[in-house]
Amino acid sequence: MTAPVTLTPTTPTDAPGTPAFAERYLLDPGINADPYGYLNALRDHRPVHHSRMHNAWLITGHEQVMRCLRDPAISADRVRPLMDAVPDGAREDAERAFGILSRWMVFNDPPQHRRLRQVFQEQFAARAIARYRGFVERVTRTVLARRAAPGTTGDLVADIARPLPALVFGRWLGVPAADGPSFWYWNARVGDLVLGAAQEEREYRTSLRSLVGLEDYLGDLVRRRRSEPGDDLISSVLADGRVGDTVTEEEFVGMLTQMAFAGGETTGNLIANTVLALLRNPAELAAVREDPELVAAAVEETMRHDGPSKMSIRGAARDLELDGHAIRAGERLFLVTAAANRDPARFPDPDVFSVRRAGTSHLGFGFGAHFCIGAALARLVAVAVVDVLVRDHPDLRLASDEHTWQLSLLNRSLTALPVHY
């Protein structure tokens, strides 16, 4: 995922007399900071566009992304491209690490994906997640009292958006508090690998070894929970008896590394992006404060308008046709949900952030077989945190109008969010 040398090739539009469409690199800092104007232009130019710059098909229309998410000819198995990006000097660390990634649900297609996912289905159901609501609200108020006292100034990302999901997901997985620092360090470095932030050989080595360290730790935790069950995800799944039956223990531990990585990262970004959207739109913030039922709507609108994920990457398992374009087996597809979620053919006034928007049907959590299994928990945590923040901090406001975003092809993640609490 390193940048090509040439960043501004021009691809003409099909219609004569219209301005040429200038393709831009998606990791260009300006595009990364504010991608939506360019993504709208790309979707309007051609919702199924082959990019020589990215060596991939860029799918930006809502209808077209939905068709791709439904089509069994489009595969989620993308471990090989990740491995191909590893520098030669780091490959000795890669074999076991990529074996772990191959057991992640998100990198598997049906029927393998379905078999792996069913192990967690009951634990991720909304009714099972709801019992954590009280805990989430208590820990939110505790963290806010310690890090975000009214009248102070701070960084909402570092103070709240990152540590709170970590506390909740650690408790949910059953990670002892004393193990938290190492556990979340490994998670962050795994993110560097999976999200393409690792570029140098040293960074790849650190990420690969962190993934192995995370699996070793979780494997040991599973063994402990077999002999000493607790009130947590691992103990609950083990009690169901599927580990060793429908999945192996190795597969189970591999999937836990995915759960550990995905939960905290995505939910933290969702919290920060929701707060930023509300503070940038005072009328929407006032509506949420007046009607608490709109907090959940604000979180859903953020998922559509400026969610924590910009795209997912897929590959063509066989030749197929999409909007008259011949896509060959082995070619990559970037399913740009950030563009699809602002498609005017699906959403009226798509660039407007509105907490009263009806029937969003956004693709922020995916769709179909790969709909995010952790969506209920992410929603619970984000809604609880945003609700407490906006209600208990009536003077909450931005401390700066300038914001920077982590450079990532996949994630939409603020590096900081300075606020007056």
Side-chain angles (χ1 to χ4, degrees):
M1 294 185 183
T2 55
V5 175
T6 304
L7 300 181
T8 57
T10 298
T11 304
T13 60
D14 293 334
T18 59
F21 175 76
E23 185 177 357
R24 296 180 64 184
Y25 185 50
L26 292 173
L27 281 180
D28 174 275
I31 298 296
N32 185 77
D34 187 7
Y36 297 104
Y38 174 71
L39 291 179
N40 287 345
L42 175 60
R43 186 190 57 244
D44 293 345
H45 162 65
R46 192 178 290 136
V48 178
H49 170 75
H50 186 266
S51 168
R52 286 175 292 181
M53 177 181 289
H54 298 89
N55 189 30
W57 290 90
L58 307 184
I59 316 300
T60 51
H62 187 277
E63 177 192 351
Q64 292 81 2
V65 170
M66 287 279 284
R67 280 156 56 191
C68 289
L69 290 170
R70 289 187 179 113
D71 194 335
I74 295 176
S75 171
D77 182 1
R78 54 194 185 278
V79 173
R80 173 53 56 183
L82 286 172
M83 190 162 185
D84 288 345
V86 175
D88 290 340
R91 286 189 176 272
E92 63 186 70
D93 297 311
E95 184 174 350
R96 181 179 165 195
F98 282 96
I100 298 168
L101 291 181
S102 71
R103 296 189 284 278
W104 284 21
M105 287 182 290
V106 293
F107 295 144
N108 278 274
D109 296 320
Q112 179 83 337
H113 173 269
R114 189 178 305 111
R115 179 179 66 84
L116 297 173
R117 185 182 177 106
Q118 284 177 344
V119 174
F120 295 97
Q121 203 72 45
E122 291 184 16
Q123 287 73 25
F124 278 98
R127 63 182 180 279
I129 295 300
R131 66 193 181 96
Y132 286 94
R133 184 181 302 278
F135 169 74
V136 172
E137 291 173 350
R138 288 194 304 275
V139 75
T140 297
R141 286 193 162 87
T142 299
V143 170
L144 286 174
R146 188 169 65 245
R147 300 189 177 207
T152 63
T153 298
D155 171 14
L156 190 136
V157 170
D159 294 340
I160 299 164
R162 284 189 184 141
L164 258 171
L167 286 170
V168 173
F169 279 83
R171 161 70 178 83
W172 178 70
L173 280 169
V175 175
D179 298 342
S182 295
F183 181 76
W184 292 110
Y185 170 80
W186 288 325
N187 270 279
R189 300 290 75 77
V190 170
D192 294 342
L193 173 69
V194 175
L195 300 175
Q199 298 292 323
E200 299 177 1
E201 182 178 314
R202 174 183 54 81
E203 295 169 330
Y204 272 102
R205 284 186 179 277
T206 299
S207 294
L208 294 165
R209 290 171 180 172
S210 293
L211 180 54
V212 169
L214 183 62
E215 186 185 54
D216 285 342
Y217 172 80
L218 286 167
D220 181 64
L221 189 58
V222 168
R223 288 187 286 274
R224 278 188 275 164
R225 290 293 172 262
R226 280 196 182 280
S227 58
E228 301 173 12
D231 178 22
D232 53 63
L233 171 75
I234 293 173
S235 300
S236 179
V237 174
L238 290 174
D240 285 347
R242 293 191 179 186
V243 178
D245 181 15
T246 59
V247 300
T248 67
E249 185 156 318
E250 183 182 45
E251 287 174 324
F252 176 52
V253 174
M255 287 189 290
L256 287 174
T257 65
Q258 178 195 332
M259 304 294 175
F261 157 70
E265 172 77 18
T266 302
T267 307
N269 294 340
L270 176 56
I271 292 167
N273 293 9
T274 302
V275 173
L276 176 61
L278 288 170
L279 295 182
R280 280 177 166 173
N281 294 274
E284 304 306 299
L285 176 59
V288 166
R289 282 177 167 154
E290 183 178 336
D291 182 359
E293 297 296 319
L294 290 176
V295 176
V299 169
E300 294 303 314
E301 177 68 345
T302 300
M303 289 296 298
R304 183 200 68 81
H305 184 263
D306 194 17
S309 173
K310 292 186 285 191
M311 71 173 72
S312 59
I313 299 176
R314 297 289 192 269
R318 56 180 181 271
D319 292 352
L320 67 137
E321 184 178 290
L322 184 62
D323 271 15
H325 299 279
I327 299 175
R328 303 301 180 194
E331 291 184 324
R332 290 194 305 170
L333 299 93
F334 291 178
L335 307 187
V336 191
T337 48
N341 280 333
R342 292 199 184 200
D343 190 339
R346 179 63 186 81
F347 305 100
D349 298 320
D351 294 322
V352 174
F353 179 83
S354 172
V355 299
R356 298 188 186 276
R357 186 179 296 275
T360 56
S361 299
H362 63 75
L363 298 174
F365 286 119
F367 179 81
H370 281 279
F371 182 82
C372 176
I373 194 172
L377 185 56
R379 283 168 165 148
L380 172 68
V381 175
V383 168
V385 174
V386 173
D387 184 54
V388 173
L389 259 176
V390 301
R391 211 157 309 291
D392 291 2
H393 292 72
D395 297 322
L396 183 68
R397 65 190 188 279
L398 294 173
S400 172
D401 293 328
E402 301 295 323
H403 303 98
T404 57
W405 301 82
Q406 291 181 4
L407 196 62
S408 172
L409 194 64
L410 305 180
N411 264 24
R412 180 76 171 149
S413 175
L414 284 160
T415 58
L417 182 56
V419 295
H420 298 295
Y421 294 111

